[in-house]
Amino acid sequence: MRRFHEIDTGMAGFRLWPGGLSTPEQAGLVEQVTAVLETAPLYRPVTPGGRPFSVRMSNLGPLGWVSDRGGYRYQATHPETGAAWPPMPERLIDLWGDLTGWPEPPDACLVNLYRGEARMGLHQDRDEADLTAPVLSISLGDTAVFRVAPAEGVRGRAVKLASGDICALTGPARLARHGIDRILAGSSGLIPGGGRINLTLRRAGPGTGASGS
Ligand code: MD3
Ligand code: FE
Protein backbone atom coordinates (compact mmCIF):
# COMPACT_ATOMS: atom_id res chain seq x y z
CA MET A 1 0.00 0.00 0.00
CA ARG A 2 1.40 3.42 -0.93
CA ARG A 3 2.24 5.90 1.86
CA PHE A 4 -0.47 8.33 2.88
CA HIS A 5 -0.99 11.35 5.12
CA GLU A 6 -3.49 10.93 7.91
CA ILE A 7 -5.59 14.12 8.06
CA ASP A 8 -6.71 15.18 11.55
CA THR A 9 -10.49 15.54 11.42
CA GLY A 10 -11.32 14.54 14.98
CA MET A 11 -12.05 11.01 13.67
CA ALA A 12 -9.31 8.56 12.74
CA GLY A 13 -9.11 7.13 9.24
CA PHE A 14 -9.02 10.01 6.74
CA ARG A 15 -6.11 9.09 4.48
CA LEU A 16 -4.86 11.46 1.80
CA TRP A 17 -2.46 10.84 -1.08
CA PRO A 18 -1.68 14.34 -2.39
CA GLY A 19 -0.83 14.11 -6.08
CA GLY A 20 -1.66 10.41 -6.04
CA LEU A 21 -2.14 10.51 -9.81
CA SER A 22 0.41 12.04 -12.18
CA THR A 23 -0.79 14.62 -14.72
CA PRO A 24 -0.75 12.08 -17.59
CA GLU A 25 -2.67 9.59 -15.44
CA GLN A 26 -5.26 12.28 -14.63
CA ALA A 27 -5.65 13.16 -18.31
CA GLY A 28 -6.00 9.48 -19.22
CA LEU A 29 -8.72 8.94 -16.62
CA VAL A 30 -10.64 12.03 -17.72
CA GLU A 31 -10.52 10.79 -21.30
CA GLN A 32 -11.72 7.29 -20.34
CA VAL A 33 -14.47 8.54 -18.07
CA THR A 34 -15.66 11.13 -20.60
CA ALA A 35 -15.86 8.41 -23.25
CA VAL A 36 -17.96 6.01 -21.15
CA LEU A 37 -20.25 8.84 -20.03
CA GLU A 38 -21.53 9.02 -23.60
CA THR A 39 -23.52 5.88 -22.80
CA ALA A 40 -24.42 7.02 -19.27
CA PRO A 41 -24.98 10.78 -19.55
CA LEU A 42 -24.48 13.10 -16.60
CA TYR A 43 -27.84 14.21 -15.24
CA ARG A 44 -29.09 16.30 -12.36
CA PRO A 45 -30.75 14.21 -9.63
CA VAL A 46 -33.31 15.69 -7.23
CA THR A 47 -33.38 15.27 -3.47
CA PRO A 48 -36.21 13.26 -1.89
CA GLY A 49 -37.75 16.70 -1.19
CA GLY A 50 -37.64 17.52 -4.92
CA ARG A 51 -34.75 20.00 -4.93
CA PRO A 52 -32.33 19.58 -7.85
CA PHE A 53 -28.68 18.94 -6.96
CA SER A 54 -26.24 21.56 -8.24
CA VAL A 55 -23.83 18.70 -9.01
CA ARG A 56 -24.39 16.59 -12.12
CA MET A 57 -23.96 12.84 -11.65
CA SER A 58 -23.57 9.50 -13.34
CA ASN A 59 -22.16 6.12 -12.31
CA LEU A 60 -19.86 3.34 -13.51
CA GLY A 61 -19.87 -0.29 -12.42
CA PRO A 62 -22.57 -2.78 -11.38
CA LEU A 63 -24.35 -0.35 -9.03
CA GLY A 64 -24.92 3.40 -9.09
CA TRP A 65 -26.06 5.87 -6.45
CA VAL A 66 -29.27 7.70 -7.32
CA SER A 67 -31.58 10.15 -5.60
CA ASP A 68 -35.17 11.04 -6.48
CA ARG A 69 -38.58 11.54 -4.83
CA GLY A 70 -38.37 7.93 -3.73
CA GLY A 71 -35.19 8.50 -1.69
CA TYR A 72 -31.50 7.64 -1.92
CA ARG A 73 -30.45 4.19 -3.12
CA TYR A 74 -28.14 2.14 -5.32
CA GLN A 75 -29.52 0.64 -8.51
CA ALA A 76 -28.14 -1.16 -11.58
CA THR A 77 -29.57 1.17 -14.22
CA HIS A 78 -29.40 4.82 -15.29
CA PRO A 79 -32.59 6.57 -14.13
CA GLU A 80 -33.06 8.43 -17.44
CA THR A 81 -31.91 5.93 -20.08
CA GLY A 82 -32.84 2.73 -18.22
CA ALA A 83 -29.56 1.18 -19.40
CA ALA A 84 -27.07 -0.67 -17.19
CA TRP A 85 -24.21 1.57 -15.96
CA PRO A 86 -21.05 1.17 -18.07
CA PRO A 87 -18.13 -0.81 -16.62
CA MET A 88 -15.59 0.81 -14.33
CA PRO A 89 -12.19 1.35 -15.97
CA GLU A 90 -9.71 -1.35 -14.84
CA ARG A 91 -7.34 1.37 -13.63
CA LEU A 92 -9.87 2.42 -10.97
CA ILE A 93 -10.34 -1.13 -9.72
CA ASP A 94 -6.55 -1.49 -9.44
CA LEU A 95 -6.22 1.79 -7.52
CA TRP A 96 -8.89 0.64 -5.06
CA GLY A 97 -6.96 -2.57 -4.40
CA ASP A 98 -3.58 -0.83 -4.09
CA LEU A 99 -4.74 1.97 -1.82
CA THR A 100 -7.41 0.38 0.37
CA GLY A 101 -6.29 -3.25 0.47
CA TRP A 102 -9.98 -4.18 0.74
CA PRO A 103 -10.45 -7.84 -0.27
CA GLU A 104 -13.42 -7.22 -2.58
CA PRO A 105 -13.42 -4.98 -5.67
CA PRO A 106 -15.52 -1.80 -5.73
CA ASP A 107 -19.03 -2.37 -7.12
CA ALA A 108 -19.97 1.31 -7.57
CA CYS A 109 -18.25 4.44 -8.85
CA LEU A 110 -20.19 7.69 -8.54
CA VAL A 111 -19.11 10.40 -10.99
CA ASN A 112 -19.80 13.94 -9.73
CA LEU A 113 -19.31 16.96 -12.02
CA TYR A 114 -19.03 20.37 -10.35
CA ARG A 115 -19.23 23.46 -12.52
CA GLY A 116 -19.77 27.09 -11.53
CA GLU A 117 -21.47 27.39 -8.17
CA ALA A 118 -22.06 23.66 -7.71
CA ARG A 119 -21.52 22.42 -4.17
CA MET A 120 -22.54 19.57 -1.90
CA GLY A 121 -24.00 20.11 1.56
CA LEU A 122 -22.73 18.30 4.66
CA HIS A 123 -23.95 14.69 4.72
CA GLN A 124 -22.95 11.17 5.71
CA ASP A 125 -22.58 8.31 3.22
CA ARG A 126 -24.72 5.55 4.66
CA ASP A 127 -26.63 4.02 1.76
CA GLU A 128 -24.08 1.20 1.40
CA ALA A 129 -24.77 -2.29 2.75
CA ASP A 130 -21.43 -2.60 4.57
CA LEU A 131 -20.43 0.64 6.31
CA THR A 132 -17.12 -0.90 7.38
CA ALA A 133 -15.87 -0.97 3.76
CA PRO A 134 -13.77 2.08 2.82
CA VAL A 135 -14.65 4.78 0.30
CA LEU A 136 -11.99 5.97 -2.17
CA SER A 137 -12.27 9.42 -3.77
CA ILE A 138 -10.30 10.75 -6.74
CA SER A 139 -10.31 14.48 -7.53
CA LEU A 140 -9.80 15.68 -11.12
CA GLY A 141 -9.79 19.25 -12.44
CA ASP A 142 -10.47 22.37 -10.41
CA THR A 143 -9.54 22.37 -6.72
CA ALA A 144 -12.38 21.80 -4.25
CA VAL A 145 -12.77 23.15 -0.76
CA PHE A 146 -13.82 19.95 1.00
CA ARG A 147 -15.28 20.09 4.52
CA VAL A 148 -15.20 17.29 7.04
CA ALA A 149 -16.80 17.41 10.49
CA PRO A 150 -16.74 14.75 13.21
CA ALA A 151 -20.30 15.39 14.46
CA GLU A 152 -23.51 17.31 13.96
CA GLY A 153 -23.33 21.00 14.87
CA VAL A 154 -19.54 21.05 14.49
CA ARG A 155 -18.10 23.20 11.71
CA GLY A 156 -15.20 20.83 11.21
CA ARG A 157 -12.22 21.43 9.02
CA ALA A 158 -11.73 22.57 5.43
CA VAL A 159 -9.25 20.62 3.30
CA LYS A 160 -8.37 21.55 -0.28
CA LEU A 161 -8.58 18.69 -2.74
CA ALA A 162 -6.58 19.39 -5.90
CA SER A 163 -6.49 17.51 -9.19
CA GLY A 164 -4.83 14.12 -8.76
CA ASP A 165 -5.39 13.97 -4.99
CA ILE A 166 -6.83 10.71 -3.73
CA CYS A 167 -8.41 10.15 -0.34
CA ALA A 168 -9.65 7.06 1.45
CA LEU A 169 -12.22 7.15 4.20
CA THR A 170 -11.67 4.23 6.51
CA GLY A 171 -12.63 3.28 10.07
CA PRO A 172 -14.41 5.99 12.10
CA ALA A 173 -13.88 8.64 9.36
CA ARG A 174 -16.04 6.53 7.03
CA LEU A 175 -19.06 7.94 8.85
CA ALA A 176 -17.80 11.54 9.08
CA ARG A 177 -20.06 14.35 7.90
CA HIS A 178 -18.56 15.89 4.80
CA GLY A 179 -19.35 18.09 1.83
CA ILE A 180 -17.96 20.42 -0.81
CA ASP A 181 -18.10 24.12 0.15
CA ARG A 182 -17.06 25.39 -3.26
CA ILE A 183 -14.87 24.90 -6.31
CA LEU A 184 -11.99 27.21 -7.17
CA ALA A 185 -12.99 27.89 -10.78
CA GLY A 186 -10.12 28.01 -13.25
CA SER A 187 -7.58 26.43 -10.88
CA SER A 188 -7.03 23.59 -13.39
CA GLY A 189 -7.50 23.19 -17.13
CA LEU A 190 -7.84 19.41 -17.00
CA ILE A 191 -11.58 19.05 -17.66
CA PRO A 192 -12.81 20.08 -21.11
CA GLY A 193 -15.34 22.84 -20.44
CA GLY A 194 -13.88 23.43 -16.95
CA GLY A 195 -14.90 22.34 -13.48
CA ARG A 196 -14.17 19.36 -11.28
CA ILE A 197 -14.92 15.66 -11.56
CA ASN A 198 -14.89 13.53 -8.45
CA LEU A 199 -14.89 9.75 -8.72
CA THR A 200 -16.04 7.92 -5.59
CA LEU A 201 -15.41 4.18 -5.46
CA ARG A 202 -17.44 2.15 -3.02
CA ARG A 203 -18.72 -1.22 -1.91
CA ALA A 204 -22.44 -0.55 -2.23
CA GLY A 205 -24.03 -3.99 -2.27
CA PRO A 206 -23.72 -6.82 0.23
CA GLY A 207 -20.25 -8.40 0.33
CA THR A 208 -19.39 -11.94 -0.69
CA GLY A 209 -18.00 -12.68 2.76
CA ALA A 210 -14.39 -12.44 1.55
CA SER A 211 -13.70 -9.79 4.20
CA GLY A 212 -14.77 -12.12 6.97
CA SER A 213 -17.68 -9.89 7.98
C1 MD3 B 1 -15.81 11.38 3.88
N1 MD3 B 1 -18.52 13.49 -2.77
O1 MD3 B 1 -20.29 11.62 -3.48
S1 MD3 B 1 -15.49 13.05 -2.08
C2 MD3 B 1 -20.22 11.90 -2.28
O2 MD3 B 1 -16.05 15.63 -3.87
C3 MD3 B 1 -19.30 12.96 -1.84
O3 MD3 B 1 -17.82 14.89 -4.83
C4 MD3 B 1 -17.66 14.61 -2.52
O4 MD3 B 1 -19.30 13.30 -0.72
C5 MD3 B 1 -17.13 15.07 -3.83
O5 MD3 B 1 -20.86 11.32 -1.39
C6 MD3 B 1 -16.58 14.29 -1.55
C7 MD3 B 1 -14.62 12.66 -0.63
C8 MD3 B 1 -15.42 11.80 0.29
C9 MD3 B 1 -16.19 10.80 -0.19
C10 MD3 B 1 -16.84 9.95 0.70
C11 MD3 B 1 -16.71 10.14 2.06
C12 MD3 B 1 -15.30 12.01 1.62
C13 MD3 B 1 -15.95 11.20 2.52
C14 MD3 B 1 -17.33 9.28 2.99
C15 MD3 B 1 -17.16 9.48 4.33
C16 MD3 B 1 -16.40 10.53 4.77
FE1 FE C 1 -20.34 11.83 0.46
Side-chain angles (χ1 to χ4, degrees), residues 62-85:
L63 290 171
W65 186 86
V66 301
S67 173
D68 59 20
R69 288 279 188 178
Y72 304 141
R73 66 189 173 278
Y74 284 91
Q75 66 180 40
T77 55
H78 191 293
E80 292 185 350
T81 69
W85 304 107

Side-chain angles (χ1 to χ4, degrees), residues 120 123 125 178 202:
M120 191 177 284
H123 65 277
D125 290 11
H178 61 278
R202 301 190 169 94

Side-chain angles (χ1 to χ4, degrees), residues 21-32 91 140 190:
L21 291 176
S22 69
T23 305
E25 284 177 307
Q26 295 168 38
L29 255 186
V30 169
E31 199 173 321
Q32 268 186 312
R91 174 79 178 109
L140 298 165
L190 187 73

